Amino acid sequence: MSVLPASARGTARLRASEILGAIPLVPRNAGIALIHAYRATISRLYGDVCRYYPSCSAYGLGAVQQHGLVKGSVLAGARIARCHPWAAGGEDDVRPHPSFRYDLTPHGFVVPLRKD
């Protein structure tokens, strides 16, 4: 549960010279930090009970990474609403944003693309 899906990890690093370019990403990364905290604490208590793959918290993480805090939260909320005892379950991945122009750190945070 605490392990991020491969699609939610990257190899980028935030450099000091890129701090100003990352300011618009602060809300998105704050949401990602909250999801990390949930996955490290509450999600471990529940165990592997989600009917879907990836789990609802991993789906929420990917949705916030790809679509931003507001739209990603709405997508995650809709996914949680679909996850009930009578749901068929199965594989349900986040649709990638068509113009995703950022990179991901190993911990799943979103940083601007490097120009070099």
Side-chain angles (χ1 to χ4, degrees):
M1 273 169 287
S2 63
V3 176
L4 294 176
S7 62
R9 288 179 288 172
T11 58
R13 300 273 186 240
L14 182 61
R15 309 254 191 274
S17 62
E18 301 167 338
I19 296 288
L20 290 177
I23 289 176
L25 299 173
V26 169
R28 183 182 304 212
N29 285 328
I32 290 170
L34 287 173
I35 294 171
H36 276 297
Y38 170 83
R39 288 173 60 90
T41 57
I42 298 170
S43 185
R44 285 184 183 227
L45 296 175
Y46 281 121
D48 192 16
V49 297
C50 193
R51 296 177 125 353
Y52 290 98
Y53 178 82
S55 68
C56 293
S57 61
Y59 182 92
L61 179 69
V64 171
Q65 283 176 332
Q66 287 288 316
H67 298 283
L69 183 61
V70 175
K71 186 175 179 184
S73 297
V74 170
L75 290 170
R79 164 70 179 274
I80 290 169
R82 289 193 312 263
C83 191
H84 52 78
W86 302 280
E91 189 170 332
D92 181 24
D93 288 323
V94 177
R95 290 188 183 167
H97 192 279
S99 61
F100 186 73
R101 59 186 189 275
Y102 303 107
D103 207 353
L104 301 174
T105 67
H107 294 289
F109 293 102
V110 180
V111 295
L113 276 176
R114 293 195 57 198
K115 296 197 172 42
D116 46 62

